Structures are given as structure tokens and as C-alpha cells.
């Protein structure tokens, strides 16, 4: 399985990715997670990226492509992969195609999570994440049993800097301008599968399983 999860911020890509990586035993590659890790390590890359991320803008393509190339050199991608949050621009998608061609591999499917804007805004502003294991919660639809504490590992929950309302609006604008054109791009390559991501995560999960049945 070589998959891409496409969709606006707050579509539920992270939640679906957690399920898909287990089910298909493939590495989950989230460029956002890699960047946040670099930011917290205060690496050179992290310092460069953090200004863009704080404003809800995209990190420049060169930085992202370097990161992705490096990640694709690891052994584990031989099993397949699941990209989440990448590609995010047409340029990234085209460069990614070139890399895959050089490696003689092709994508299995691109899953597009369709979701309405008001659902996304509500979801992102109530999203909380475990600072220890990364599990994603929602204060309304998937709250932890004990306030601010992760059910799985007891870690403290936090709100992402860019999940604050002003930044959410900018991230959505960026999505419409730069990422949405990828839907057409992958549609024309016959790789695109749409699923409804407006409802709870397990409904979306079932739709994705239906799509992927054809490939496993
Ligand atoms: P995410 O966790 O996918 O929402 O990503 C968080 C932030 O990281 C985004 O708002 C961007 O600033 C940056 N980012 C993540 N992936 C990419 C990408 N493929 N291209 C450019 N910027 C990215």
C-alpha cells in the first residue's frame, strides 16, 4: 500500500492515519509531525520552519522535499507508506512523482477526505493532542476520560499553536489556494478516491476500508 491522505486541516487525516498504519503495517509519514519534532529540537531546519508554521503558512517546497527524500531512504518504506499532509502544493506533487518514478514505484491510491469548512473550524478549535504519545482527542466528540489527561498513557494534553482560531482561518485559505488543486491533479491520474469526512471518524474509516479492499 502506497497511500496519500489528502484533505484540509481538520479533515481527520491524523486519526485515519493512525488506523491505516496499524491495519496495513506501513509507516505513517506526516510532514507536519516531522516539522514539529524539528521545531522542538530547535534544529536548523526547525528554526527555519517554525516562523511559517506559526503563521499557518506552508514551509517552502525545497525544505519539504529534502525532508521527504531523506525519509524515503529508510528501509521501512519498502513495506509501503502513508503520507499525511504531503504533498501540499502542485510543485511538491510533481517532484514526488519524479522521485517515485526514479525508484520505480507507483502510488496505490490518494484518499481525499471531503469535509465542510464549518466542521473543520469546530473540530480544530476543540482538538487536543497527547504530548507524550500523540493520540488525538476532541473535547466534544472524543474527550479524554479525565480532563487534560491521555487515556492511553497518562500524558498531558495540549492544544497546537496553529489550532487557534486566527491561524485556522489562514491555514484554510492556504489549503484552498495551494493544496485543493491536487484533487484535480490526482483525479486526472485516476488515483483519487473521495470519502465523506464530515461525520465521526469511524464512518470515514469504513469508507476508506471499502476503497482499499480493492487493493489488498
Ligand atoms: P499539519 O500537521 O499537516 O497540519 O502541518 C502543520 C504545518 O506544517 C502546516 O501548517 C505547514 O506550515 C507545515 N507543513 C506540513 N506539511 C507541509 C508540506 N507538505 N508543505 C509545506 N508545509 C507543510
Amino acid at each position: 500500500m502506497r497511500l496519500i491522505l489528502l484533505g484540509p486541516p481538520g479533515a481527520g487525516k491524523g486519526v485515519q492515519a493512525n488506523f491505516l498504519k496499524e491495519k496495513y503495517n506501513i509507516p505513517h509519514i506526516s510532514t507536519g509531525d516531522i516539522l514539529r519534532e524539528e521545531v522542538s529540537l530547535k534544529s536548523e531546519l526547525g528554526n527555519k520552519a517554525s516562523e511559517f508554521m506559526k503563521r499557518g503558512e506552508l514551509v517552502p517546497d525545497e525544505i519539504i522535499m529534502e525532508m521527504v527524500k531523506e525519509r524515503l531512504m529508510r528501509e521501512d518504506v519498502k513495506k509501503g507508506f502513508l503520507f499525511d499532509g504531503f504533498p501540499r502544493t502542485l510543485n511538491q506533487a510533481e517532484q514526488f512523482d519524479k522521485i517515485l518514478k526514479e525508484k520505480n514505484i507507483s502510488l496505490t491510491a490518494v484518499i481525499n477526505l471531503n469535509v465542510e469548512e464549518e466542521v473543520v473550524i469546530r473540530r480544530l478549535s476543540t482538538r487536543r493532542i497527547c504530548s507524550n504519545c500523540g493520540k488525538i482527542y476532541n473535547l466534544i466528540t472524543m474527550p479524554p476520560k479525565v480532563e487534560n489527561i491521555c487515556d492511553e498513557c497518562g500524558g498531558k494534553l495540549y492544544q497546537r499553536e496553529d489550532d487557534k482560531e486566527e491561524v485556522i482561518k489562514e491555514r484554510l485559505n492556504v489549503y484552498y489556494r495551494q493544496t485543493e488543486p491536487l484533487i484535480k491533479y490526482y483525479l486526472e491520474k485516476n488515483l483519487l478516491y473521495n470519502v465523506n469526512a464530515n461525520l465521526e471518524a469511524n464512518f470515514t474509516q469504513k469508507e476508506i476500508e471499502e476503497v482499499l479492499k480493492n487493493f489488498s
Side-chain angles (χ1 to χ4, degrees):
M1 284 283 176
R2 287 187 283 267
L3 306 171
I4 292 177
L5 277 180
L6 208 60
K13 299 190 291 293
V15 171
Q16 297 305 329
N18 282 338
F19 141 76
L20 288 166
K21 71 172 183 198
E22 299 289 332
K23 170 147 182 166
Y24 297 106
N25 186 29
I26 47 178
H28 166 206
I29 309 177
S30 155
T31 41
D33 283 351
I34 301 175
L35 289 166
R36 277 184 290 278
E37 172 77 20
E38 295 289 336
V39 171
S40 73
L41 293 171
K42 296 196 164 29
S43 69
E44 200 186 324
L45 191 157
N47 292 340
K48 270 194 214 155
S50 95
E51 289 309 307
F52 297 98
M53 294 171 76
K54 266 190 220 150
R55 294 195 294 262
E57 293 168 14
L58 293 187
V59 172
D61 287 346
E62 309 81 69
I63 298 183
I64 300 292
M65 292 316 300
E66 270 316 302
M67 256 169 49
V68 166
K69 273 187 212 155
E70 205 166 292
R71 184 61 185 83
L72 285 172
M73 306 234 273
R74 299 237 305 254
E75 262 312 283
D76 61 353
V77 295
K78 293 212 170 108
K79 293 191 281 192
F81 53 68
L82 169 65
F83 273 97
D84 151 15
F86 172 87
R88 259 200 171 75
T89 63
L90 273 177
N91 179 33
Q92 289 179 15
E94 283 163 3
Q95 291 199 47
F96 188 40
D97 276 345
K98 269 195 209 140
I99 299 171
L100 294 179
K101 209 166 170 198
E102 276 163 24
K103 291 186 181 286
N104 229 344
I105 52 181
S106 50
L107 291 170
T108 310
V110 176
I111 312 274
N112 182 37
L113 306 186
N114 273 308
V115 61
E116 279 161 29
E117 183 168 325
E118 58 177 77
V119 175
V120 162
I121 295 176
R122 202 176 332 123
R123 228 179 242 169
L124 288 180
S125 50
T126 50
R127 170 161 77 176
R128 296 294 181 274
I129 300 165
C130 173
S131 54
N132 183 46
C133 72
K135 188 174 159 70
I136 303 167
Y137 291 86
N138 183 285
L139 296 183
I140 295 162
T141 56
M142 252 196 287
K145 293 196 182 90
V146 180
E147 198 179 335
N148 268 326
I149 302 291
C150 178
D151 296 347
E152 308 275 316
C153 74
K156 239 183 125 191
L157 306 190
Y158 75 100
Q159 180 175 33
R160 271 171 51 170
E161 268 306 308
D162 59 355
D163 278 348
K164 312 260 158 83
E165 193 139 348
E166 325 75 70
V167 191
I168 293 174
K169 296 232 165 83
E170 179 54 21
R171 287 165 67 204
L172 279 170
N173 285 336
V174 166
Y175 167 78
Y176 293 128
R177 264 198 323 269
Q178 309 204 58
T179 310
E180 210 178 37
L182 294 183
I183 296 176
K184 184 160 169 266
Y185 180 82
Y186 286 117
L187 189 67
E188 284 169 358
K189 290 184 181 289
N190 279 331
L191 283 168
L192 193 86
Y193 296 85
N194 283 299
V195 297
N196 179 352
N198 286 297
L199 303 172
E200 275 168 45
N202 46 343
F203 291 108
T204 313
Q205 181 179 319
K206 289 218 175 72
E207 282 197 34
I208 297 178
E209 281 180 295
E210 245 348 273
V211 168
L212 294 181
K213 247 198 223 154
N214 303 318
F215 302 105
S216 49

